[in-house]
Amino acid sequence: MARRAGLSAAAVTKAVRPLIEAGYLVEDVDEGARPALGRPANLVRVDGGRALFIGVKVTGDTAIGVLTDLCCRILVARHIPLSARDPKAVLGTAAELVRELLIEADGLGVRVAGLGMAVSGDVDRAEGVVRYSPFLEWRDVPLAELAAMATGLPVTVDNDVRALTVAEQWFGAGVGLSGFAVVTVGAGIGCGLVVHGKVVAGAHGVAGEIGHITVDPAGPRCHCGNRGCVEAIAGDDAIVRQVRAATGVQVADAVEAAGLAHDGVTGAREVYARAGDAIGRGIATVANLLGPERVIISGEGLAAYDLFADHIRDAFATAAFGSAARCDVRTRPLPFDEWARGAAATAIQSFIRSDAN
Amino acid sequence: MARRAGLSAAAVTKAVRPLIEAGYLVEDVDEGARPALGRPANLVRVDGGRALFIGVKVTGDTAIGVLTDLCCRILVARHIPLSARDPKAVLGTAAELVRELLIEADGLGVRVAGLGMAVSGDVDRAEGVVRYSPFLEWRDVPLAELAAMATGLPVTVDNDVRALTVAEQWFGAGVGLSGFAVVTVGAGIGCGLVVHGKVVAGAHGVAGEIGHITVDPAGPRCHCGNRGCVEAIAGDDAIVRQVRAATGVQVADAVEAAGLAHDGVTGAREVYARAGDAIGRGIATVANLLGPERVIISGEGLAAYDLFADHIRDAFATAAFGSAARCDVRTRPLPFDEWARGAAATAIQSFIRSDAN
C-alpha cells in the first residue's frame, strides 16, 4: 500500500489505524506475505460488510436498483417499471425500490450509508441537479435534494454513463488504465471518459457527449436542435424512424427494426450500416482528441451489434488519425444491473470523501 | 508550499533542503510572511539563473529558437529560415540555431541543461520520434536522438501545440485551470488539451487532433485521406485553394486570401465564413466531450480573425450541448517565440523529472 501510494510505511500505518479501529479495514494474517528481510508488512483489506449502499439507474421505462456492500459487490437487484417519466412519478418508483432494498439491508443488520442515482443527460453531480435529460424530458430537477427527502439517505446523482464508467474503472475493463472510454449504444449514444486516471466530469457538468458530435451537417434533425448528430443517426429512435422510412414497415421498436435487418431486408440493413459508420466516426473523434488506451463499446444496442460491427470498425480505422488507430476498441455486454452498480459506486465515492463517517 | 502540496511542513523542508543546497531554490527573507503564531514559514523561490534551456519551434519555413532560464523567461530569441524541409536540412538549421544560443549562454557563464524541440504532427514524446508531420512531410524521424547527436544536449521533442499548451499552463491564460484547451489556427488547425491539470499526450502519442474532426463528410479531401476535416476547410492551404476557386484570383498565400476578403470580395468572405463554421464546430466537439473551463484560440490565423470570429462563435453556440456552451472561448495572440518558449518548457519538465541533476 505504501508503494502504490508513494508514501512511507509510517504514513500508511498512521492513515490506516483509524480505519481499522472504525471497522472499515481489517488486517489479514498471511504468512506468505512476510518478507525475508525487514519489518513484515501486514495485509489489510476492506471489510465489505461494514456498510451497504444502494444504486439506482433510471431508464426511460424502468428503475433498476441494487444493494451493494462497501466493495460494491451486488447483494440484491430489483427492477420496477415506471408508471410515468415526470420527476414525481420517477421519484415515487425510486423511493419504493429503495424501501424494498432497505428492508433487505435490515435483514442483514447493516446500515445503508448512501444512495447513488444515475440518470442520462446533463447532470451536475456537484450541485445534485439534472439539468437536462432528453429521455425523461426533465429540465433543472434538483434530484439529490428530492431523493434525500424521499429516502432519508445521503444522495449522489450523476450521469448514468459516467457512473457506469466508474464501475468499469474500479472493477471492469478499465482497471489499471489511465485513459479509456466507455461508449454506450442504445436509446442514447453516450460516452464516459477517463483521462489521467480520473472520470472527466466537465467544468459545467457536461462531458462525454459523443452522441452530439455532428457527423453529417445535412443529416437528420436531432432532439438537441442540430442536424446529423451521432445520436440522430444511431440512437434507437433514429433507427426505428429510418427503418420505417426505408422499408415502409411500421416497426414498433429497435428490437423489431433489428429483426427486419436480421431477416436481410436491404433498407433496414443500410440503416444499421449508416448507424455503425456514425458511431465509428464518433469513436475516432474521441481517439483523435484524447488517445485513450481502450474504447469499450456497450449498451443495450449490442443486441444488434453484428449488424453494424464492421461499419464501426471500418469508419474508426478510416477516421482515426495516425497512431490513434492503435487504440484497443472492444465490446463488452453490461446489463442494467451493472449501470445501477455504477450508481452505487458513486455513492461509495461520496461516502469515502465525506467527513461524516 | 506545504499547504499547496498537501504535505507536512517537515516533509517540505526535507524535500526542499537538497534543492537549496544544489542552488535551484533560494530562500527569500520576507518579514511580512511571518505568522503571528507558530513557526515562521520561509519563502523559497526558484533561482532562474541556475540553469539555462533552449527551445526550438520548427514551422514549415523557419526555425525559431529561444534561450530561457530555469523559470522559462526568454533571454534571447533567434529565427533562421529553413533551406529545405527534409530532416537533414532542418537538423542542420536547428543545430546552427542552438550553436548561436549556446554562445549566448557561454557569455552568461551558465550551462544549458536541455533542448526542447517542437514540431507539428504526430510526435511521440516518450520515444522522441516524429511519427508523421504533414507540413514537413516527415515519417518516423528519431528527432530526439539525431538532435542529441548534433548538439550534445539532452533533447525533448514534442508536438508544437502541446508544447505551447505547457507554456500557457505555466505562464499564460491557463494558469490555475484544471481543464482548458488551446486551439491554434493557421497552416494547421491544432489543439492542446489540459484535463485534470495535466496536458493530454494520448496513449500512442496522438491527442488534440481537432484538425481531423470531420465536419462535413461531403467536404474537400484532406491530406490525412479523409474528407471534410476542420483542417481541410479552415487550414491556410485549404483557404487559399477555396478562395482561388471562388474568385478566380490566383492568391499566393493566406495573407493575400485574407486581403481579398478584407476588400469585401464575396466569394472570399464566404470561404472564411465556412472556415469559421468548421472551427466553431470543432471547438464545440471539444467542449461537448471534455467540458473545459476555457478555450484559448491562437495561431497566426488570428491575423484574419475578424473575418471568421462571428462564425466561430455562432457555430460553437449552436453545436455546444447544454451547459457546455458556458465555456469561456477567447482569443490570445501568441507569436512563434511563445511556441519556442513552450519547447523550452518541455525541456525544463524533462530536466526536473530526470535523476541526472
Side-chain angles (χ1 to χ4, degrees):
Chain A
M1 199 183 284
R3 200 170 51 240
R4 287 180 69 171
L7 293 172
S8 69
V12 168
T13 302
K14 194 175 155 191
V16 158
R17 191 162 304 139
L19 292 169
I20 291 176
E21 279 164 12
Y24 294 114
L25 294 178
V26 289
E27 286 187 90
D28 262 355
V29 180
D30 179 354
E31 291 297 323
R34 286 179 186 277
L37 289 171
R39 201 147 59 116
N42 292 325
L43 291 181
V44 291
R45 61 177 171 77
V46 173
D47 179 6
R50 180 65 179 74
L52 300 181
F53 296 85
I54 294 175
V56 173
K57 145 87 176 161
V58 179
T59 72
D61 50 21
T62 313
I64 299 104
V66 295
L67 178 70
T68 79
D69 67 10
L70 184 55
C71 297
C72 213
R73 283 178 290 237
I74 296 177
L75 307 178
V76 184
R78 290 281 162 83
H79 298 201
I80 303 187
L82 296 178
S83 55
R85 291 182 185 182
D86 60 287
K88 206 177 154 191
V90 170
L91 265 166
T93 306
E96 189 187 331
L97 200 53
V98 169
R99 264 194 305 277
E100 288 186 15
L101 294 169
L102 284 173
I103 291 167
E104 298 282 344
D106 253 7
L108 296 167
V110 182
R111 78 173 172 125
V112 171
L115 164 65
M117 291 192 73
V119 173
S120 75
D122 175 357
V123 180
D124 187 330
R125 175 169 169 166
E127 298 290 322
V129 173
V130 179
R131 298 213 179 280
Y132 173 48
S133 178
F135 294 107
L136 295 169
E137 292 172 37
W138 288 6
R139 279 198 188 270
D140 297 316
V141 175
L143 184 61
E145 192 187 335
L146 296 172
M149 285 196 294
T151 65
L153 293 171
V155 178
T156 305
V157 302
D158 208 338
N159 169 278
D160 57 349
V161 182
R162 277 208 296 271
L164 181 69
T165 304
V166 172
E168 282 298 279
Q169 186 184 26
W170 286 15
F171 320 104
V175 170
L177 301 182
S178 74
F180 71 94
V182 175
V183 173
T184 58
V185 177
I189 312 290
C191 179
L193 295 166
V194 169
V195 179
H196 299 142
K198 279 158 64 178
V199 175
V200 178
H204 307 289
V206 166
E209 286 295 347
I210 195 176
H212 299 284
I213 293 177
T214 309
V215 292
D216 182 3
R221 180 70 68 183
C222 182
H223 59 80
C224 77
N226 286 300
R227 282 193 173 278
C229 296
V230 175
E231 195 162 292
I233 297 169
D236 280 352
D237 281 358
I239 284 180
V240 167
R241 202 178 325 110
Q242 293 170 94
V243 166
R244 285 179 186 164
T247 64
V249 181
Q250 292 306 302
V251 291
D253 55 23
V255 175
E256 287 189 24
L260 273 192
H262 278 132
D263 290 346
V265 177
T266 310
R269 293 191 74 88
E270 281 165 4
V271 168
Y272 278 94
R274 272 199 300 278
D277 185 72
I279 295 166
R281 284 171 183 271
I283 293 173
T285 298
V286 170
N288 292 350
L289 285 176
L290 295 166
E293 292 169 65
R294 181 172 292 160
V295 173
I296 302 153
I297 305 175
S298 193
E300 68 275 22
L302 282 195
Y305 194 69
D306 59 305
L307 293 169
F308 49 43
D310 290 349
H311 300 92
I312 290 179
R313 286 189 184 277
D314 288 354
F316 172 76
T318 303
F321 183 76
S323 41
R326 292 192 212 162
C327 172
D328 168 26
V329 180
R330 57 168 72 175
T331 57
R332 186 167 137 82
L334 295 164
F336 280 128
D337 287 2
E338 216 46 48
W339 294 58
R341 189 190 190 197
T346 66
I348 296 174
Q349 283 183 326
S350 299
F351 176 73
I352 292 170
R353 285 178 200 157
S354 73
D355 296 315
N357 49 356
Chain B
M1 200 182 282
R3 199 170 52 240
R4 287 180 70 171
L7 293 171
S8 68
V12 169
T13 302
K14 194 175 156 191
V16 159
R17 191 163 303 137
L19 292 169
I20 291 175
E21 279 164 12
Y24 294 113
L25 293 179
V26 288
E27 286 186 271
D28 263 355
V29 179
D30 180 354
E31 292 297 322
R34 287 182 184 274
L37 290 171
R39 199 148 58 117
N42 292 325
L43 290 181
V44 292
R45 62 176 171 78
V46 174
D47 179 6
R50 180 65 179 76
L52 300 180
F53 296 85
I54 294 175
V56 173
K57 144 87 177 162
V58 180
T59 72
D61 49 21
T62 313
I64 299 103
V66 295
L67 178 70
T68 79
D69 66 8
L70 183 55
C71 297
C72 212
R73 283 179 289 236
I74 297 177
L75 307 177
V76 184
R78 290 282 163 81
H79 298 201
I80 303 186
L82 297 178
S83 56
R85 291 184 185 182
D86 60 287
K88 208 177 154 190
V90 171
L91 265 164
T93 305
E96 191 187 331
L97 200 54
V98 170
R99 264 194 307 277
E100 287 186 16
L101 293 169
L102 284 173
I103 291 168
E104 298 281 347
D106 253 8
L108 296 168
V110 183
R111 77 172 173 123
V112 171
L115 164 64
M117 292 192 72
V119 175
S120 75
D122 175 357
V123 180
D124 187 330
R125 174 170 171 166
E127 298 290 323
V129 173
V130 179
R131 298 213 179 281
Y132 172 49
S133 177
F135 295 106
L136 295 170
E137 291 172 36
W138 289 7
R139 278 196 188 274
D140 296 317
V141 176
L143 184 60
E145 193 187 334
L146 296 172
M149 286 195 296
T151 65
L153 293 171
V155 179
T156 305
V157 302
D158 208 338
N159 168 279
D160 57 349
V161 182
R162 277 208 295 270
L164 181 68
T165 305
V166 172
E168 282 297 279
Q169 186 184 26
W170 286 16
F171 320 104
V175 170
L177 302 183
S178 75
F180 71 94
V182 175
V183 173
T184 59
V185 177
I189 311 291
C191 179
L193 295 166
V194 169
V195 179
H196 299 140
K198 281 160 63 180
V199 176
V200 179
H204 307 290
V206 167
E209 287 295 347
I210 195 175
H212 299 285
I213 293 177
T214 309
V215 291
D216 182 4
R221 179 72 68 183
C222 182
H223 60 80
C224 76
N226 287 300
R227 280 190 175 280
C229 296
V230 174
E231 194 162 293
I233 297 169
D236 280 351
D237 282 357
I239 284 179
V240 168
R241 203 178 323 111
Q242 293 170 94
V243 165
R244 285 179 186 163
T247 63
V249 182
Q250 293 305 300
V251 291
D253 55 21
V255 175
E256 288 189 23
L260 274 193
H262 278 131
D263 290 345
V265 178
T266 311
R269 293 192 74 88
E270 280 166 2
V271 168
Y272 278 94
R274 272 198 301 277
D277 185 72
I279 295 166
R281 283 171 184 270
I283 293 173
T285 298
V286 169
N288 291 349
L289 285 176
L290 294 167
E293 290 168 66
R294 180 173 292 162
V295 173
I296 303 153
I297 306 176
S298 192
E300 68 276 22
L302 282 196
Y305 194 69
D306 59 305
L307 293 168
F308 48 44
D310 289 350
H311 301 92
I312 291 179
R313 286 187 186 277
D314 288 353
F316 172 76
T318 303
F321 183 76
S323 41
R326 292 192 212 162
C327 173
D328 168 26
V329 180
R330 55 169 71 177
T331 58
R332 187 168 136 82
L334 295 164
F336 280 129
D337 287 2
E338 227 24 65
W339 294 58
R341 187 189 192 197
T346 66
I348 295 175
Q349 282 184 327
S350 300
F351 176 72
I352 292 170
R353 284 178 200 155
S354 73
D355 296 315
N357 47 358

